[in-house]
Amino acid sequence: MTFAGPRRPDGVGSRHSPVAGPATGFLGKEKTLLYGRLADLVLVAHFAFVLFVTLGGLAVLRWRRLAWLHVPVLGYGAAIEIVGWVCPLTPLEQRLRLLAGQAGYEGGFIEHYVGGIVYPAGWDEIHVALGAGLVVFNLAVYGTLLFRRSRPASG
């Protein structure tokens, strides 16, 4: 009989879970390290996504063709915030962290990593306003772009 160690409340590590926790045995440390690195890569991609959703309109002022990418991403990001959806990158990162033997986290990506900085206490009541503010900010940027474009050239 082999002792498998303590079971976690989320089921990871049990023989009935789809993935039985971090890889062990031959190449186990390498797999654990790989899962940790992949989780970090997802974290960086998620931060880049949030920054692009938030400030991508400013990039469009410089590179106008970027609007074809930013507008749908902005809509999706605002919907996540307003409706309360979970971005698929959040459970992916959490799963990779668990596979790496690291602790996961409760809630969403933004609440966990930048919640105290971006969101005041009790942000649940104002998340719709924050999502709407995101859209209004970017609409103002796009309005500036359209205004510049419609002005007759002087000189």
Side-chain angles (χ1 to χ4, degrees):
M1 182 167 156
T2 310
F3 177 69
R7 301 286 187 238
R8 293 177 24 182
D10 59 5
V12 172
S14 72
R15 73 168 29 137
H16 301 292
S17 65
V19 177
T24 57
F26 185 68
L27 295 180
K29 289 182 183 181
E30 288 81 4
K31 284 186 179 182
T32 300
L33 182 63
L34 174 66
Y35 288 131
R37 296 279 191 237
L38 288 172
D40 292 342
L41 183 62
V42 171
L43 170 70
V44 169
H46 211 161
F47 267 120
F49 175 80
V50 170
L51 281 174
F52 186 63
V53 166
T54 306
L55 302 174
L58 297 175
V60 170
L61 290 174
R62 174 76 172 100
W63 300 285
R64 292 185 179 162
R65 290 186 182 191
L66 198 56
W68 292 106
L69 178 61
H70 181 251
V71 169
V73 168
L74 171 63
Y76 181 68
I80 288 173
E81 187 66 30
I82 292 169
V83 177
W85 293 338
V86 175
C87 178
L89 294 174
T90 300
L92 175 60
E93 181 203 350
Q94 290 174 344
R95 186 66 179 161
L96 289 168
R97 296 242 177 259
L98 290 174
L99 290 171
Q102 301 172 3
Y105 55 87
E106 294 292 323
F109 170 82
I110 293 178
E111 299 104 296
H112 179 71
Y113 287 107
V114 293
I117 298 167
V118 175
Y119 298 127
W123 79 276
D124 287 338
E125 294 81 31
I126 61 170
H127 73 277
V128 172
L130 291 172
L134 174 71
V135 172
V136 168
F137 169 75
N138 279 283
L139 284 176
V141 172
Y142 280 101
T144 301
L145 180 64
L146 291 173
F147 176 74
R148 285 183 185 174
R149 198 166 181 201
S150 66
R151 268 190 341 202
S154 61

